[in-house]
Amino acid sequence: MIRPSASITPEYFEEMFRQTEDPWDLETSTYEREKYAHTIGVLGSRTYENALEIGCAKGVLTQMLAPHCDKLLAVDVSPTALRAARARCAAIGHVSFARIAFPGLAPAPSFDLVVLSEVAYYWSDPDLLEAARWLGSHVTPNGEVLLVHWTGATDYPQSGDEAVLKLRTMLDTRVEVIAADRMPHYRLDLWRLLP
């Protein structure tokens, strides 16, 4: 399979959310439900001061992450998805949303939790490098990066395994692996950024 070399464009995602209400069955599939439960479960009872979710889509995971965060910024490239996410989380005062095409545009503050769920395989090698550089400078010492990615075949710039391995290699000795769980259809990786 010949993969595209460029990152998937914001227009691709906006079109997906305009064409169907729930393009990846984020709200209804057993796969998503089990993956979300695993994602939240790995956080345990920890609470994060300032968290970032990259690629929040319609805010299903955002809503579940919120109780673990004092402040949560959820970003996406699709205005249609963001409208749905804002509506879903309207009653949660400490969650905010922004239209940001990460890593080309990235938030300025530092975060003690960054969640990359089903997003890194959409990025080209240069964008993965940019993401790694940003993570290395904007995740607080001892802050965490949580990655969850489909491990089946993709027609994106990366597979889930490739994207995670490349990010891990780019961050090199800055990362301590806390969890590396491999499930039948996805992988979950939790890293701590060393001081």
Side-chain angles (χ1 to χ4, degrees):
M1 176 194 324
I2 298 175
R3 296 184 179 279
S5 58
S7 293
I8 305 299
T9 66
E11 292 77 19
Y12 169 86
F13 298 101
E14 176 60 9
E15 187 63 25
M16 291 288 289
F17 283 104
R18 282 188 179 176
Q19 285 181 355
T20 180
E21 191 171 314
D22 192 8
W24 291 281
D25 300 323
L26 302 174
E27 299 173 286
T28 58
S29 82
T30 301
Y31 165 78
E32 294 295 342
R33 189 169 41 255
E34 291 174 355
K35 185 186 68 176
Y36 290 150
H38 188 184
T39 301
I40 297 304
V42 79
L43 300 178
S45 60
R46 294 188 297 284
T47 300
Y48 300 87
E49 288 183 21
N50 194 26
L52 172 67
E53 180 191 8
I54 298 170
C56 67
K58 296 180 68 179
V60 178
L61 180 58
T62 313
Q63 190 176 38
M64 298 176 192
L65 285 169
H68 291 269
C69 310
D70 294 333
K71 187 176 175 184
L72 172 59
L73 172 61
V75 304
D76 203 278
V77 297
S78 165
T80 299
L82 284 169
R83 276 192 297 277
R86 284 187 180 101
R88 178 183 302 279
C89 298
I92 309 172
H94 64 282
V95 176
S96 59
F97 295 90
R99 185 178 177 204
I100 293 177
F102 186 91
L105 296 173
S110 292
F111 299 90
D112 58 344
L113 174 66
V114 175
V115 177
L116 302 169
S117 181
E118 309 280 8
V119 294
Y121 44 47
Y122 295 124
W123 300 333
S124 65
D125 284 351
D127 278 349
L128 280 173
L129 181 58
E130 192 170 347
R133 287 177 177 154
W134 184 90
L135 290 167
S137 61
H138 286 82
V139 175
T140 60
N142 296 311
E144 296 174 359
V145 179
L146 176 57
L147 306 97
V148 187
H149 288 89
W150 165 258
T151 52
T154 73
D155 54 1
Y156 307 135
Q158 319 285 337
S159 70
D161 287 325
E162 288 169 340
V164 173
L165 178 60
K166 287 177 183 179
L167 274 175
R168 174 70 184 84
T169 301
M170 291 167 181
L171 285 165
D172 196 26
T173 58
R174 295 281 325 271
V175 168
E176 174 188 6
V177 175
I178 299 173
D181 299 341
R182 191 163 193 93
M183 307 306 285
H185 301 293
Y186 70 91
R187 61 181 296 158
L188 182 150
D189 297 86
L190 183 62
W191 301 337
R192 178 174 293 130
L193 268 289
L194 299 174

